[in-house]
Amino acid sequence: MRYLFLILCAAFSLQNLSAQDGQIRITGRVTDAETGESLPGVNIVLKDTHKGTQTNLEGDYSIMIPSSGGILSYSFIGYISQDIEVGDQRTISISLVPEAQSLDEVVITTQARGQIGARNQQINSNTLKNVVAPDRLQENPDANAVEAIGRLPGISVLRSGGEGAGLVIRGLEPRYSSVTLNGVKLPSSDGNNRSTNISGISQYSLQGVEVFKALTADMEANSVAGSVNLTLQEAPKGLKTSLMAQSGYNDLNNYFGNYKLMGSVSNRFLDDKLGIIFSANPERVNRSVETLSAGYGLQSEEIDILMNNVNLNMIERIKNRASATLSMDYHVHPSTKLKLYGLYTHSATDEINQSVGFGIIGSGGINNTVSDNRDGFSEIMQTSLAGETNLGFLNMNVDYGVTYSMNRAENPGARNWHWSYLIPPGSDITVKENRRLYPEEVIPLFDAGDLSKYQLWSFGQSTNEMTDENLTANLNIEIPFNIGDMVSGYVKFGGMYRNTKRLKDLNDGSQHVVTNQFLKDFAEAQLDYIVRGTGSDRNITAVNFNDNYLSDFLGGDFNFGHTFNVDRMNHLTDWWLDLSQFYWDQGPEVWQNTFSDRTKVGLAQNIHASIISDQDIEENYYAGYFMSELNVGRRLMLLPGIRYEKTDAFLRGFETLEPTIPGNILQPIPGSPTEASRENDYLLPMIHARIKPTDYFYVHIAYTQVLSRPDYNTISPNIWVNTGFQPFQYISTNPSLRAEFWTNYDLQATFHNSKVGLLSVSGFYKTVEDKIWNRSWKRITGDTIIPYFGELDVVNVLGWENHPYEVYLRGVEFEWQTSFWYLPGPFKYFTLYLNYTYTQSETKYPTTEIVNIVPPEGGRPVPSRIDSVQAGPMLFQPAHIANVSLGFNINNFNAWFSFQYNGEIYTGKNYGVDELDPLKEHFYRFDLQLTQGFGFKALPGKFEVMANLANLSDFEEYHRLRGDLRPTYREAYGWTVDLGLRYRF
């Protein structure tokens, strides 16, 4: 099948190349005559023929016409159409004039024009994609670009503190999507996988956003769910400046300190050949949240779900972000344009997490955990030099580029402290009747008000740094063809190379304070705020460490209790680390005489956490493709193609045997370095077909094969072994993992006209081979012997594998977008976006159970493994997604009222009892965005007052188990309002 596909592509190519005579290429840009801004989605047609095209997000277009010339017709709803005689011109750039608007004439609002441009791009695309209109990015004060993209069909948003942080496309978590900037992949920003968080990129720097649901052969194949392409703005004609200042309020925290600033300036020079645009955007936002988490389990085989613990978490989170972009384009020659752009984002999060946990099993207990993470940051940089040249030879179009991108994340000192509250013996809190109650009924049974009964149990510190560097080069060649009057199209081929260097290093250590008599004695002697308790251990108490008492938590449902003074705990930790360093520097003969053993000095190593996720990877990616678009008249488009991708990688890791006594964090981790290499290649056929029975209706069919490459943390050759204490453990990664191989089928029917707008129904079906899963199993007698263990050892094993079981994902998308310009009265000022997606999936969860079985010959039962497979939905996939946005635009007033809904989502799998499967309940929110423009006679340009009201319904996220209505997780982040002023001239 694949070889036949190649032969057909080659046949198309040979036929095409023989049909080049008598063709010329016309290029140019279409702009708004009043504002100078580019117009995307303008229709351009060679009169009296079927030949046509449209402008892209930057307003640029390219069209092949006979060398005999003709008349090009430019049309866009809301603008006066223009006809241009080609003659001997090869570059034709025009400005369209908006139609006059009065009470007696048709009114096309700014919202409607943006929507029309976006849907024209969608209609005229040769694949399946959705487009965020530029006005939705530029005119509306969304929190970030993620929120604007999240309103497209089939997309739901993962939020952090109420703010969009990740995109789930068609029910597949963010690692199944790719994000590109001007067509080039952004670096990975996740510590484990290949995904990119774009919440730090200012939407005001973007010209538009495209979301591709079905790939073509010229796109990187590591995009199972879809590919999100962000495009930067290009400078319009004339000096343009925009300034914005915005302040915000967070209801949950009664916080007024949010702000966002934005400034941009652009102009064109050298007779408009050179364009430069620069923008910068600093912001500060409070994303603090209040959450509840609870654990449940079964006490017997009966389905009697009992509460084990409840945790209340107060997360104080301030995000400080800044981004800047510089974009330059230079028309070296009418046939050649060069682009140089740079993007930089910096994100720093100041976060303090205070958590109190109530144990409701055993003898019960109260434990407080405090973490301080105020020094971490991450930054993304991408810079690219790209060009596009139209050659006379075969009328080919060549684009090329070299890009350097980098993500760096660093956390030089995240700290945590654990306090334990002494509960008197004989407590009856943990009786079974109480474990069946709701959290708000159980927590009042505890009393944790006496600070002298808190004891400092332990504290720790971790450092983490990661870099992901990429150097990418790409080349694409497109050759148009025309066969007679009915057949036209192009062949396209090219390739790409990318070198990725990725490093991740984590070091983690802790000190068990309650067993370290030296620390307690030194602290009491040297720190005047230390108060120790009674008893033989005389532990450090929380007296003088309290900060506040919080009685109104999660809407008044809970009494949180004491919070702790983070500055004082940091002082204690600093003092201990300085003291330990002083003794350590004097050598073993000094610190051993003082502290007895190395675990009592400074911090003891957490070896497992410190090595299992470390990464040192260099990966080379090679790709080549061939594709051809074949248009038969105006009614049929075929787009066959094939893509070849190859990766090879060299990986370094670490193998360690957990010592009986861990080392000091100041010492090297015991063990030995490991190395591995991996190499794989894939041939991926893809074909699209679009059938257009009429000018207003088409059916698009697509068959594509794509990949999901293993996450970085699954292939780094790290091994951690515990042979000293039972249960024995062997945890490893798998450098030999194969990429998940996905096959996709898409079908879309679309109806569109000037009044209905765009109405489409899409169906999709995805299957996968070599699904990657994290296998947990128990090694027993008779199994292959694992290194470091003997034949009789029982070992808990955790590792990564490809499993052979069938997995599928299917769904239906419905989309309607329209404006009501043709209706009377106020209705003509409204614009509507509406979409709904239903998804269904089934994946297999392989599991292993150890049971004691009597041998056939009799005797004592022996442990035996029974392998089985459980079926269930894929994780993090909402069955229902709905988005509705109603816009109103008159004169200088702009409003959007939005509703978003996600249905129930499974977030995990319990391999023993289905009733213990965790899920997230449905979620919805309402948002309102307002903009009012005005001007002053004494000042040029336009002022705008902006308001963004988010989560007006104050909806909380709620998680539970399949078989129980009580919460496993609640999150409240409140509603927010942002007010701003923008001045553009």
Side-chain angles (χ1 to χ4, degrees), residues 893-914:
F893 177 72
N894 187 59
W896 283 100
F897 183 71
S898 303
F899 169 78
Q900 294 178 307
Y901 174 85
N902 287 342
E904 190 177 83
I905 302 172
Y906 277 86
T907 58
K909 179 63 183 174
N910 183 283
Y911 294 101
V913 181
D914 288 345

Side-chain angles (χ1 to χ4, degrees), residues 525-599:
Q526 298 185 19
L527 302 175
D528 57 10
Y529 53 80
I530 295 296
V531 176
R532 297 179 68 177
T534 59
S536 59
D537 294 330
R538 298 190 63 237
N539 292 314
I540 296 175
T541 71
V543 176
N544 295 328
F545 281 92
N546 64 304
D547 186 48
N548 200 353
Y549 191 88
L550 184 60
S551 58
D552 183 7
F553 189 79
L554 274 177
D557 290 346
F558 299 96
N559 178 358
F560 185 93
H562 288 289
T563 62
F564 293 83
N565 189 304
V566 176
D567 290 337
R568 177 147 289 179
M569 289 186 292
N570 270 314
H571 182 270
L572 171 64
T573 303
D574 288 337
W575 162 82
W576 173 247
L577 294 179
D578 289 343
L579 180 71
S580 298
Q581 188 73 56
F582 170 78
Y583 281 98
W584 189 268
D585 289 343
Q586 297 181 65
E589 64 279 0
V590 175
W591 62 256
Q592 282 182 346
N593 289 333
T594 305
F595 296 100
S596 177
D597 70 68
R598 63 192 181 193
T599 63

